Amino acid sequence: MNVSFLGLGAIGTPMARHLAPPPFSLSVWNRTAERARAFGAETGARVVTSPADAARGADVVITCLPTSREVESLLDGDDGLLAGLSDHALFIDCTSGDPTTSRRIAGRLSERSVAFMDAPVSGGVSGAQQGTLTVMCGAEPATLERARPVLEAFGKKIVLCGPVGAGDAVKAVNQALLGIHIWALSEGLVALSKAGVSASLALDVINASSGRSNVSQNLFTERVITRAFPRTFKLALLEKDVTIAAEFARENRVPAPLTQTVADLLRVARRELGEEADHVETVKLIESWAGCEVSG
Ligand code: NDP
């Protein structure tokens, strides 16, 4: 199966590594060509120099870019994906995208008999490395069955959430929960630290109690208490995701003041901490407002 992967970023790179060995024949494209060349040298994947070349001869095209906007921007022009896609190819978008743009992309591709699915992932860089990602699919059931052998290369739990856009919507709600947990736990641990309670002791208690979450059990334990703050998932991308969740609620006429507030707060954090900051570094903004670091 000829597979082309576009977008060798923090999560795309470890996902694509699973598609390098047989039975796949992998081609890669990345906006910064040096990244694609390094990936090709490491894995033996074929390196192409335009989206059109990536699309030519591909049975499956996978994109993993920051937003749906970048995915849509790769479609057009002489070098664009549409110039190279053959009829009956399959387009899998693993971007954490927005449902409206995904539906528009699907409509444009269907005019060329190309099937599209949104297939955002969760599980982080470590899940991508281990091939244990959760994949949230928005597609016709038959499209998912065509995609399944490719998705199984990097995914463990692969779920059809509904028609095109449904995967993006479920992912956005998941990300809203992630953002809310990060914000709430940051406020709580900074307050506890300022009051002289050990943050690691408090986390130990919370992780054996009803307020625990992936944020308390893994992210804060491994990254905040240690002050390691590895950069694996950009705060800018989390802000984008929670904004999608707020827009999704509004489009469906569901009042979502909490989701909207956290989207707004994360936008402030993104502006203060910068485009390269990791999502867990959000705690640093609350620490600076409080004049106190999470400690011990
Ligand atoms: P990165 O910022 O690390 O990588 C982004 C990728 O998109 C790079 O390959 C970059 O190319 C490319 N890109 C950016 N802008 C453009 C453009 N205008 N045209 C073409 N290519 C472009 O992001 P991640 O890999 O972390 O995230 C990718 C997607 O996966 C996002 O939607 C994110 O929300 C989602 N995600 C990320 C997770 C993570 O843990 N990192 C977990 C789950 C989902 P270049 O090398 O040139 O910059």
Side-chain angles (χ1 to χ4, degrees), residues 7-12 29-32 35 64-66 70 74 94-96 121 124-125 171 232-234 237 240-241:
L8 297 170
I11 194 97
W29 177 84
N30 194 64
R31 180 183 61 175
T32 304
R35 272 180 148 175
C64 190
L65 304 176
E70 283 83 34
L74 291 194
C94 290
T95 305
S96 299
V121 300
V125 170
K171 171 71 181 179
T232 61
F233 175 53
K234 289 174 184 155
L237 293 172
K240 169 263 305 182
D241 290 339

